[in-house]
Amino acid sequence: MLQPPHSSLQFAEVPHQRVPARDRDQDAPWHTEAVCRRDEAGLFFAPSKEPTAARLSREEAAKRVCARCPVMVECREHALLQPEPYGVWGGLTAAERRVVLARRRRRDLELKKAARGTIAAAG
């Protein structure tokens, strides 16, 4: 996805070529194949004081772009690992990403507890 102005990542404009993920050059950055590179960044990032109905409509339109993107999973993981606080990334809004991150943290804690219990029972 295109970066907001405050981001440190910069993209050179590259003509879009559809290449299946499995056939893509493994050294090329994932974002070179992002469908959103051709779309208006405003679709993915909210203007200030955006009304709720307009925000929901814009986010749904952005998600439709993401749904046809060959690097949606890579984009989503990038946004979750950074974590990106704004915009639609990998088909998820900032609020949806916070939910995913909270679920991952809970899962990781449960796995650690289960691992400690297995070690204690074996010892």
Side-chain angles (χ1 to χ4, degrees):
M1 149 163 323
L2 292 176
Q3 300 291 312
H6 65 276
S7 175
S8 62
L9 286 179
Q10 297 295 317
F11 300 121
E13 284 302 317
V14 176
H16 179 73
Q17 297 176 352
R18 280 228 161 211
V19 178
R22 67 185 179 284
D23 296 337
R24 206 174 338 148
D25 179 1
Q26 296 304 314
D27 294 330
W30 61 266
H31 49 76
T32 61
E33 297 299 322
V35 172
C36 63
R37 290 174 56 89
R38 297 184 319 252
D39 290 305
E40 176 64 39
L43 184 62
F44 299 93
F45 296 95
S48 62
K49 299 181 182 179
E50 181 179 34
T52 302
R55 177 183 54 82
L56 293 173
S57 177
R58 180 189 48 75
E59 288 173 346
E60 285 305 312
K63 288 178 179 188
R64 285 192 299 274
V65 172
C66 293
R68 69 177 198 270
C69 185
V71 294
M72 184 180 75
V73 172
E74 292 93 332
C75 179
R76 180 178 294 178
E77 283 306 308
H78 163 82
L80 291 167
L81 292 172
Q82 284 303 311
E84 292 289 350
Y86 306 106
V88 174
W89 290 78
L92 297 177
T93 64
E96 291 166 336
R97 289 192 304 276
R98 285 191 296 273
V99 169
V100 169
L101 288 170
R103 287 178 181 162
R104 284 185 179 183
R105 282 190 294 273
R106 278 194 304 271
R107 183 197 64 209
D108 289 346
L109 286 173
E110 290 170 6
L111 290 172
K112 286 178 186 176
K113 286 179 186 177
R116 281 192 295 249
T118 301
I119 292 170

